[in-house]
Amino acid sequence: MAHTMTKREGEAAPPSRGAIVALDFGKAWDYAAAPESPDHVSIDPKYGLFIGGRWVTPRSGRFFPTINPSTEEVLAEVADANAQDVDDAVRAAREAYDKYWSRMRGADRAKYIFRIARAIQEKARELAIVESMDGGKPIKESRDIDLPLAAAHFFYHAGWADKLDYAFHGRRIRSLGVAGQIIPWNFPLLMAAWKIAPALACGNTVVLKPAETTPLTALLLAKIIEEAELPPGVVNIVTGGGETGAALAIHPDVNKVAFTGSTSVGKRIQRAIAGTHKRLSLELGGKAANIVFADAPIDQAVDGIVNGIYFNQGHVCCAGSRLLVEESVHDVIVKKLRDRMATLRMGSPLDKNTDVGAINSKAQLARIRELVAAGEEEGCERYSAPCPVPEKGYWFPPTFFTGASMSSRIAREEIFGPVLTILTFRTPDEAVEKANNTSYGLSAGVWTDKGAKIFYMATKLKAGVIWGNTFNKFDPTSPFGGYKESGFGREGGRQGLAAYLGVE
Ligand code: NAP
Ligand code: MG
């Protein structure tokens, strides 16, 4: 699956393949391609909707293609559910709630959730390959991060299913009913796990709508759920676009809406269901500050910066997209960052050596390009890694900007791509002020030699997750969620259970 490397997005010359170049970081030798084979992966040519434990043709009669963003080839046709289909799914979920799931002992619900977790582990390789094909993320990320975490979320919540009384000691708890869940394309299977696992553990039934560009792993998860013999209708998967999501959110028989996606759609949903009985949790956008003090271990920090923004092509809501560096180390960090970026490999998501995969969609690539052009127009200085750009597919090289001000668009707006904006500060309080000067509040990172400084910063930063001397680390036991326009409600940990329970 070798790509022809010709077109270029960065300004520097292409690395010489195979040539030995002394002291030229990362180009001293090249790795041979090490593609993960998709041969044993079976993707059906066409998928219906998974409703009431059966695969059904959409009443809409419509299907849409899902493509591989690294090759632009169509992978499958997927059902486009309309409001009637959504209604069927919600009815199935209601029936399953009334008949089976709300009456089942927690210990029995746990067995089903464990089964799902085990099946995800068993099929991890296939799921990781499909995730990388459908969404463009490097196989080493889908294999080593998305899949283990997705299984871990099911394991973790299976453990809670019969212990909910202890989670909220002395209080009465109850399940909510039918949960309508809408997820984005950046961690398709993992976001499905974040949504479905706690909902089931807490005794709710589910209608889940995956993102339009990445529906395949949710459909494979539906097959796993079918094989795990969950009672019909406990989990329903309806594929489709924004209208399908909107129909699900406003359906009168949905008790709980859980949405992960953009702040603009989150606000729209909030407006649409205002004044109803529905419970809502929102996980929205971010513009995280990654703060590096002069006393930080600089090489580790540089690796953390790279992980913070170039991981998953920057398609991460909590990406460290604003780098705040103490002024005295600005130049050394910029130099080391350039050196490190020169070693990043962009290319086929299925190649095990790939660090940077494809941008998820043409529309997302256009948005990244638009914001990068805005940064250039505002006079900021751009550096893009000298990665050869494959001819087909959607690509954007790891990029950073220096010379930006706090009012620059690239310092304020979520780019959701591999683009970093570097700003400076002189004192901890200035760093706090700049970090908090955003409408978002999802995450932040602090790099310093001094533990006390991390704690000081953590008390001042208005962000739901704060990493100390690391970045983008997740665990099902650790609650995740935002402040301000990054949303409300938590996912993971004991706190995440509260989003799916009535606690009195
Ligand atoms: P998006 O456009 O808001 O889409 C998210 C989901 O909502 C998709 O399934 C989408 O369907 C659906 N949708 C679109 N319009 C809708 C409507 N009017 N009513 C109900 N559902 C609707 O977001 P995105 O661009 O796919 O994802 C990127 C955004 O998600 C970024 O802003 C990122 O920060 C955020 N995000 C946040 C978190 C978090 O945990 N806080 C995690 C991941 C991503 P289609 O796919 O068909 O459009
Ligand atoms: Mg796709």
Side-chain angles (χ1 to χ4, degrees):
M1 244 223 223
H3 287 293
T4 331
M5 306 282 186
T6 48
K7 203 174 81 194
R8 311 197 50 72
E9 183 89 50
E11 70 248 73
S16 45
R17 294 185 92 69
I20 299 205
V21 185
L23 295 178
D24 192 357
F25 287 99
K27 296 173 202 155
W29 60 80
D30 223 340
Y31 287 85
E36 180 71 72
S37 167
D39 290 351
H40 68 293
V41 167
S42 74
I43 298 176
D44 296 348
K46 209 171 195 181
Y47 287 91
L49 302 166
F50 185 64
I51 295 179
R54 294 186 307 121
W55 291 90
V56 299
T57 309
R59 286 177 188 261
S60 71
R62 290 193 309 263
F63 289 82
F64 63 90
T66 184
I67 66 155
N68 180 337
S70 70
T71 60
E72 298 175 54
E73 66 187 312
V74 173
L75 295 169
E77 296 285 325
V78 174
D80 186 6
N82 65 13
Q84 278 183 312
D85 295 307
V86 168
D87 186 51
D88 290 346
V90 174
R91 279 173 198 274
R94 172 62 57 192
E95 194 180 331
Y97 179 76
D98 291 340
K99 261 196 191 162
Y100 316 110
W101 209 244
S102 62
R103 299 174 177 208
M104 199 181 275
R105 292 182 325 136
D108 290 326
R109 289 201 306 274
K111 290 178 200 163
Y112 286 106
I113 304 169
F114 266 119
R115 266 193 204 164
I116 299 172
R118 291 294 301 272
I120 289 175
Q121 281 188 321
E122 279 160 22
K123 295 182 195 302
R125 186 158 172 228
E126 179 180 1
L127 288 164
I129 293 172
V130 174
E131 199 74 306
S132 285
M133 290 171 79
D134 202 17
K137 66 172 61 191
I139 187 73
K140 70 177 174 191
E141 285 176 10
S142 36
R143 182 195 61 198
D144 297 347
I145 296 166
D146 298 57
L147 260 296
L149 277 174
H153 267 269
F154 281 100
F155 278 121
Y156 175 74
H157 286 97
W160 269 124
D162 63 347
K163 303 174 195 70
L164 297 172
D165 287 329
Y166 304 100
F168 301 94
H169 200 67
R171 305 185 57 189
R172 285 196 12 200
I173 54 152
R174 57 178 172 81
S175 55
L176 298 174
V178 176
Q181 308 181 317
I182 302 162
I183 55 172
W185 42 260
N186 57 345
F187 293 89
L189 183 70
L190 183 57
M191 288 298 115
W194 277 30
K195 295 279 178 284
I196 295 174
L200 296 187
C202 293
N204 306 285
T205 55
V206 165
V207 179
L208 176 101
K209 191 204 89 71
E212 204 172 339
T213 57
T214 54
L216 291 182
T217 45
L219 292 165
L220 295 188
L221 181 61
K223 291 198 171 182
I224 285 175
I225 285 167
E226 197 179 11
E227 284 161 23
E229 295 179 345
L230 264 76
V234 170
V235 176
N236 306 275
I237 309 282
V238 289
T239 45
E243 284 175 20
T244 311
L248 178 58
I250 61 167
H251 192 289
D253 205 27
V254 165
N255 304 94
K256 152 85 192 181
V257 177
F259 172 79
T260 297
S262 59
T263 296
S264 60
V265 174
K267 285 181 181 176
R268 211 176 307 162
I269 290 176
Q270 199 174 11
R271 273 196 296 272
I273 67 172
T276 68
H277 69 290
K278 292 179 201 296
R279 285 267 297 270
L280 176 65
S281 48
L282 296 174
E283 301 276 8
L284 308 175
K287 191 76 186 174
N290 200 1
I291 303 168
V292 183
F293 285 96
D295 62 7
I298 297 294
D299 288 323
Q300 285 173 36
V302 167
D303 241 34
I305 294 162
V306 167
N307 175 41
I309 183 66
Y310 303 131
F311 165 58
N312 197 21
Q313 295 71 248
H315 295 335
V316 184
C317 47
C318 49
S321 53
R322 285 184 303 155
L323 176 64
L324 289 174
V325 290
E326 195 162 343
E327 205 173 82
S328 58
V329 289
H330 173 270
D331 292 354
V332 67
I333 285 190
V334 167
K335 154 119 193 24
K336 282 176 182 272
L337 190 57
R338 284 174 77 122
D339 290 346
R340 179 69 183 86
M341 283 163 71
T343 69
L344 295 175
R345 291 179 166 75
M346 184 167 85
S348 169
L350 288 188
D351 191 323
K352 298 180 201 98
N353 295 323
T354 292
D355 300 301
V356 182
I359 298 301
N360 183 266
S361 67
K362 203 173 182 176
Q364 188 57 27
L365 179 59
R367 163 132 180 99
I368 295 168
R369 284 186 169 149
E370 196 253 315
L371 276 159
V372 166
E376 286 174 325
E377 272 161 32
E378 286 177 333
C380 310
E381 198 179 317
R382 168 184 170 178
Y383 172 77
S384 287
C387 300
V389 179
E391 259 186 352
K392 284 217 144 198
Y394 315 128
W395 306 92
F396 201 88
T399 292
F400 67 73
F401 278 100
T402 49
S405 72
M406 285 296 292
S407 59
S408 307
R409 277 187 71 195
I410 50 166
R412 307 203 69 77
E413 293 182 31
E414 186 181 42
I415 302 175
F416 221 59
V419 182
L420 177 69
T421 303
I422 304 180
L423 302 155
T424 58
F425 67 89
R426 287 185 182 170
T427 64
D429 288 340
E430 189 189 347
V432 168
E433 195 187 312
K434 285 187 166 167
N436 288 342
N437 186 355
T438 166
S439 52
Y440 296 112
L442 194 55
S443 64
V446 182
W447 297 81
T448 166
D449 194 31
K450 305 276 182 299
K453 222 189 252 175
I454 293 178
F455 285 116
Y456 174 80
M457 297 296 286
T459 59
K460 303 270 177 191
L461 291 168
K462 293 197 179 74
V465 182
I466 296 165
W467 286 290
N469 289 334
T470 186
F471 211 91
N472 274 341
K473 291 279 183 285
F474 308 94
D475 190 277
T477 62
S478 176
F480 183 91
Y483 286 94
K484 301 196 279 186
E485 293 194 16
S486 291
F488 49 79
R490 293 290 177 266
E491 293 187 295
R494 192 178 65 83
Q495 293 81 351
L497 300 172
Y500 288 95
L501 289 170
V503 182
E504 280 138 25

